[in-house]
Amino acid sequence: MLDIRLIREKPDFVRSRLATRGSGEEQKIDEVLAVDAERRKLETALQQFNADRKRLSKEVGVARSRGDDCAEVEERVRKIGDEIAELVRQTAAAEEQQRDLLLNIPNLPHPGAPVGKTAAENPVVRTWGEKPRFSGPVLDHIALGAKLQLFDTERATKLSGSGFICFTGAGARLERALIQFMLDLHSREHGYLEVSPPFLVRRDCMIGTTQLPKFEEDMYGFEDGAMFLAPTAEVPVTNLHREEILAASELPKKYVAYTPCFRREAGSAGRETRGIIRVHQFDKVELVRITRPEDSYAEHEALTADAERVLQSLGLHYRVIELCTGDVGFGSAKTYDLEVWSPGQNTYLEVSSCSNFEDFQARRMNLRFKEAEGKNRFPHTLNGSGTALPRLFAALVEAYQQADGSVRVPEKLQAYFGAKEIR
RNA sequence: GGUGAGGUGGCUGAGUGGUCGAAAGCAGCGCUUUGCUAAAGCGCCGUACCCCAAAAGGGUACCGAGGGUUCGAAUCCCUCCCUCACCGCCA
């Protein structure tokens, strides 16, 4: 949520930053300003009436204790009470309208973000490693999975419909090994506190991390929208401190969590339905940081580096792209995507998205920290996948396949997996 | 699921219709006394919003949330949420 004061004081700045997203949200600014002006007018009037009532009611109390007659004053207060009831109604309506508008306006992209309209304009920031070379034909993860019986999408469909995977045998073990490997890497070597949060969250949490109200159709909700299956561990983990005032000395907070992620993927039916690239439930290890505002961009680089370390440790070629203003997510000011190379599909697959939300989520969650001088401020929140699993799984088996259709297990993973190859 | 007890400021904890944003204690900050430490004394010490060009200052709201009763609600009534205890059920 943007700061209404920023909008009030620098509307042109806000409009021009929003305009770089190319989705027309800057047109909502005039409406917000109008509602804000109306709201404040109502509030000022309401406060005046409240002050009058408070004062006169006290007079009644004093008069009664003396035994004086005060029917006239009581009548006046009663009339003021009617005015107040009406103003309260109007003020509440204006507040709600303002909040609804604000909740639907995206974050301002970072001034340094590359301006562009679509994903095609996302610049490559750096690449690591090289594409593996193969002498013979290259199988994709679907062929390898079938050959080695790593997963069973047909039976998963029988259970849950299309878009679900059931890992089996060595595939299930590899999935588990990857999760354990990543959790250990981040908690032991990168200083994150491991948490295992609930996968079901209340509606307020989904609003806090910006999945709602705009993207409800992508979420699995139930109990009339009161509860949701978390689409990412970002939701339960970032909301851990919602409505809290942290001590400045506690920052930065660094959390790592493994959770399954549930997404309807509404509107993407038919796209990438083969294999395990786009599914309704997938595993992910997520990194979250809560930082001081002035540190957040350095922390963002560090968090991205932590996610990259996963791919480096596994010896997988990848590239880092920065999302342009037209592609950056609703709540994010700046995002790097990590894309791992998939030899079987001859393309890069997004396995991580590392974002700095600045104070956009903190303001929605009312998450604050107390400065040494006692002033409360909104911290910045960041998160990034470290990393998402089915795609990592796919890239890994494709990159480490051998001529006979077996798959070598990367050295760092062998202890977790318990073998050097899958055949 | 049942029964009971509760939700008050960073914490503990008073307050059962008015002058209460709320006693007191602890913690924190500042000052004084003081070889050091300790102790004592004095003062300050919630959040959000509104008015004001800003500061100074003023005001309103907030005692789990939302409604109601009343001239007036932390206090009375209703609904909901949550916590704790015991019982039941259960991986």
Side-chain angles (χ1 to χ4, degrees), chain A residues 127-132 312 315-319 348:
Chain A
T127 62
W128 187 90
E130 285 175 13
K131 296 176 187 173
Q312 293 168 5
L316 294 170
H317 167 58
Y318 68 90
R319 66 182 188 185
Y348 288 95

Side-chain angles (χ1 to χ4, degrees), chain A residues 43-59:
Chain A
E43 207 161 298
T44 304
L46 172 61
Q47 288 181 1
Q48 187 54 54
F49 279 111
N50 267 327
D52 290 345
R53 174 165 73 176
K54 203 171 167 180
R55 183 171 47 78
L56 292 172
S57 289
K58 273 181 191 170
E59 283 177 21

Side-chain angles (χ1 to χ4, degrees), chain A residues 223-244:
Chain A
E223 293 187 349
D224 288 326
M227 298 290 288
F228 292 84
L229 282 167
T232 157
E234 164 195 354
V235 180
V237 176
T238 312
N239 277 286
L240 238 27
H241 297 291
R242 63 178 294 110
E243 304 282 350
E244 287 186 26

